[in-house]
Amino acid sequence: MQWILACILGVGVVSLFPQLPSLIWLLPLLPVTLAAGKYKPLRFWGGLCFGVIWAVFYGWSGVSRQLPERYENIDLDLTGRIVGLPATDSLRQNFTVEVIRLGLPEDEQISPPPRKIKLNWYDLQQPVQPGETWQLRVRLKRPNGFANPDLFDFETWLFRQGIDATGYVRNGEVNRRLREASESLSIEQLRYRILTELNQRHDLSYAPVLTALTIGERRGIGRELWQLFTQTGTNHLFVISGLHVGFVALCCYSLIIGLGRWLPLGAPVIAVQQPAAIGAILAAAVYSLLAGFGLPTQRALVMLVLLLMGRILKRQMSLSFCLAVALLFVMLLDPLAMRTSGLWLSFGAVGTLLLGFSGYTSTRGIWWKWGRPQWLVFVALGPLLLCLFSEFSLFSPLANVIAIPLIGLLVVPLCLIGGGLLWLSPPLAAWLLGAADWLIGLLIQWLRLLSEMSLSVIQLDPGFGALVCAGLGALLWLLPAGL
C-alpha cells in the first residue's frame, strides 16, 4: 500500500510540471527504484521514483510522436483506419484516423510515426464509419489549443487521447475508401450502429440522453439540458459512470446466483459465487468497452475485478486497497488524469463513501441506504466543487436520491436491453426504449422543479483559506463517531 501511494504521488507531481524534464534527470532515480525491491525502508522512495520515471517516459513518448513542424500546412497522403465515433453536423464530418501510412515528401520517414490524427472533412457526400480504411489527402498541423484559465484545455485533451496531429481533408479524387468496415462486429461498429439507430428514432423525445446512457456518447445532449443536469448535481448520471458499471455487475451477479439455486453448475465443491463473480466481471468489462472506457468506468471496473477476484480466490480485499489500486491503474494509463476534474470527483465520491461508512457493521433502514450516501457526498464534495467550478447545487442530495435508483435500476437496464434488441426484435426494442424515454421525461420534470427554486445553485468564489477550512470541516464531519 505504501509503494502504491508513493507511485501515485510521483505520477501526480510530474503531471503538474509546466514542461517535461530531460531524461538525463531520471538517471539518479533508477538505482533508488531498483534498490526498493530489496530494501523495505526504501519502498516509499522507490515507488515515488518509479512514478516519476513512468510519467516522464510517458510524456516524452507522446511528444516524440507528434507531427514535426516542417510537415505543417502541406498536402500529405494519409492511409488510415477510422476509429471512434464520427461526429457530423450540417457542414462537416469530424473523425479520428488511426495511421497506417503517412506519405511524406521525397519518401521521408517519421520515427516514430504519429498514432492518431483528428480530421475535419467538409464533404458530407462520403460519410465515414468506424472500421473503414481510407486514403485521404490532408493538411495537418501539430496539436495545439488555447491556454486561457478556466477554459477547456484542448491541447491536453488531444495528448491524452493519443492524437498527434489535427487537420482537414482536401477535396479531390484521391480520397477513396480502400476497405469497408469489417464483417465481424467490433465494439466500435456496435456503438456506431446503436448511435445511428437511436438518432433515427424520431418518436423518442430524449434520444441523445438514451444514447449517452447506452454507449457513453453525450455530444448530442443540448446545452440547456446539460445545464439543468449540472444545476441539480445529476450530470454524473447521464454519462457512463462507475455507478452504472456497478449496477450492471450486480444484476449479472444476482442473476447467476438465482439460476445457480435451480440449475446444477458442476461438482458440489464449486461454489455458486465463483461463476457468478466471473460472469459479473465479464458483464462489467463488456459494458465498460461499450461505454468508451472512460475514467469513471476504469475506476469502477478495476475495483470490481479486485473485489470479485477475492470472491473467486476466497480472499478478503479491503475497499481502500481496491480504491488505491484503481487510482494507480488510472494514473499509469493516463498520467495527465490528475489534471482533470473527473478524477477528483470520481475518486473523491468513492473515498467519501468509504470514509463515511467506515466503522459501521449494519445498515439502519431506507435513509441509511439511500439518503445518507447523498448527504455524505454533498458535504464532502461541496468544497471541491467550489474550488473547481465556483458553484454547487444545494438540492443535489434531493435530486440524486430519486435520480440514482431511477436511472440505475430502471432506465439503464431498459436502454441496454432495448439497444441489444434493436435488430432482433424492433417492436420490443421500441417499447423498452419508449419506456426509458418516458422515465427520463418524468425525471427531467422533477429536476426542473428543483432548479426553479430559489438558491438552487450556490455560486461563490472563496479564497484558499476558506476552502481549506471547509475541507477540514467536511473531513471532521465524515470521520467515524469517536474521532
Side-chain angles (χ1 to χ4, degrees):
M1 190 69 167
Q2 184 183 29
W3 186 93
I4 292 174
L5 295 177
C7 187
I8 292 171
L9 179 61
V11 175
V13 167
V14 175
S15 71
L16 300 178
F17 287 177
Q19 62 184 17
L20 283 170
S22 172
L23 294 175
I24 299 177
W25 291 100
L26 302 182
L27 294 178
L29 304 181
L30 288 174
V32 180
T33 305
L34 297 175
K38 186 176 182 180
Y39 302 102
K40 288 186 178 181
L42 294 177
R43 186 164 296 174
F44 176 84
W45 299 107
L48 185 67
C49 293
F50 177 82
V52 171
I53 293 171
W54 177 275
V56 172
F57 267 108
Y58 177 93
W60 279 113
S61 174
V63 169
S64 66
R65 289 180 175 272
Q66 292 182 349
L67 183 77
E69 290 186 22
R70 62 183 181 274
Y71 299 124
E72 289 188 316
N73 299 318
I74 61 174
D75 287 351
L76 302 173
D77 290 329
L78 167 68
T79 302
R81 188 175 70 90
I82 309 300
V83 296
L85 295 177
T88 305
D89 56 27
S90 58
L91 297 176
R92 62 179 179 174
Q93 304 177 74
N94 181 268
F95 54 92
T96 302
V97 178
E98 189 177 64
V99 177
I100 297 176
R101 180 183 176 276
L102 184 61
L104 301 175
E106 300 179 0
D107 293 329
E108 296 182 30
Q109 297 292 328
I110 300 178
S111 182
R115 296 162 293 182
K116 298 178 183 178
I117 296 176
K118 194 169 186 63
L119 295 172
N120 289 321
W121 193 359
Y122 299 90
D123 182 2
L124 302 180
Q125 303 303 316
Q126 302 186 69
V128 301
Q129 295 185 19
E132 295 178 339
T133 302
W134 280 78
Q135 176 182 301
L136 302 169
R137 179 156 291 172
V138 298
R139 281 199 177 183
L140 305 176
K141 62 180 180 179
R142 292 169 59 83
N144 60 77
F146 295 111
N148 295 332
D150 300 326
L151 293 181
F152 178 65
D153 190 347
F154 184 59
E155 187 171 342
T156 299
W157 181 86
L158 292 173
F159 187 88
R160 294 179 59 222
Q161 301 300 314
I163 296 173
D164 301 316
T166 62
Y168 64 94
V169 179
R170 301 271 287 173
N171 291 329
E173 296 181 357
V174 69
N175 302 321
R176 59 192 179 95
R177 185 185 292 108
L178 300 180
R179 183 179 299 173
E180 299 285 347
S182 175
E183 295 296 331
S184 59
L185 189 62
S186 67
I187 289 292
E188 287 182 345
Q189 294 164 18
L190 178 60
R191 298 182 72 215
Y192 181 76
R193 291 176 65 180
I194 293 175
L195 173 65
T196 305
E197 288 288 339
L198 290 178
N199 285 340
Q200 293 174 351
R201 298 295 303 270
H202 301 294
D203 56 322
L204 300 176
S205 302
Y206 302 101
V209 178
L210 300 183
T211 302
L213 292 173
T214 306
I215 61 172
E217 177 59 43
R218 60 182 179 90
R219 284 181 289 188
I221 300 178
R223 178 174 297 182
E224 180 182 356
L225 202 56
W226 190 254
Q227 185 177 7
L228 173 66
F229 298 152
T230 303
Q231 289 177 345
T232 53
T234 55
N235 51 350
H236 64 101
L237 293 174
F238 296 95
V239 296
I240 303 297
S241 67
L243 191 64
H244 300 152
V245 177
F247 275 130
V248 169
L250 177 63
C251 291
C252 183
Y253 185 87
S254 302
L255 178 62
I256 297 177
I257 288 290
L259 291 175
R261 294 174 180 174
W262 299 97
L263 300 175
L265 294 179
V269 295
I270 300 179
V272 179
Q273 288 86 350
Q274 291 176 324
I278 295 173
I281 290 175
L282 293 176
V286 171
Y287 184 52
S288 298
L289 291 174
L290 185 66
F293 204 53
L295 189 148
T297 58
Q298 294 172 17
R299 184 260 305 161
L301 183 60
V302 173
M303 292 189 67
L304 276 170
V305 169
L306 290 174
L307 289 172
L308 293 175
M309 284 300 295
R311 288 293 183 94
I312 296 172
L313 301 175
K314 297 182 179 180
R315 292 189 177 184
Q316 189 74 18
M317 293 190 183
S318 67
L319 291 173
S320 58
F321 174 77
C322 295
L323 182 64
V325 173
L327 180 56
L328 177 63
F329 175 84
V330 170
M331 295 289 290
L332 293 181
L333 198 63
D334 180 10
L336 289 178
M338 180 69 76
R339 302 174 64 136
T340 66
S341 59
L343 180 136
W344 292 94
L345 296 174
S346 177
F347 283 91
V350 177
T352 295
L353 295 176
L354 294 182
L355 182 61
F357 283 96
S358 62
Y360 298 99
T361 58
S362 62
T363 59
R364 306 177 184 180
I366 295 297
W367 158 253
W368 191 265
K369 293 178 181 178
W370 293 108
R372 192 168 186 270
Q374 308 310 319
W375 175 248
L376 292 174
V377 172
F378 172 76
V379 170
L381 297 190
L384 183 58
L385 289 170
L386 285 176
C387 179
L388 295 173
F389 308 113
S390 298
E391 68 176 26
F392 73 100
S393 172
L394 193 62
F395 295 112
S396 62
L398 192 57
N400 279 285
V401 77
I402 293 178
I404 286 178
L406 182 66
I407 296 292
L409 296 178
L410 293 177
V411 176
V412 170
L414 288 172
C415 289
L416 292 178
I417 298 173
L421 294 175
L422 281 171
W423 302 277
L424 298 176
S425 178
L428 181 57
W431 186 86
L432 293 174
L433 292 173
D437 189 72
W438 179 72
L439 291 173
I440 290 292
L442 290 181
L443 178 60
I444 288 177
Q445 291 181 17
W446 166 246
L447 297 181
R448 282 177 175 157
L449 179 63
L450 291 178
S451 67
E452 292 171 357
M453 296 182 181
S454 59
L455 298 178
S456 61
V457 178
I458 301 297
Q459 294 182 337
L460 295 172
D461 190 14
F464 178 75
L467 288 172
V468 170
C469 291
L472 291 175
L475 178 62
L476 288 173
W477 206 336
L478 294 171
L479 290 175
L483 297 177

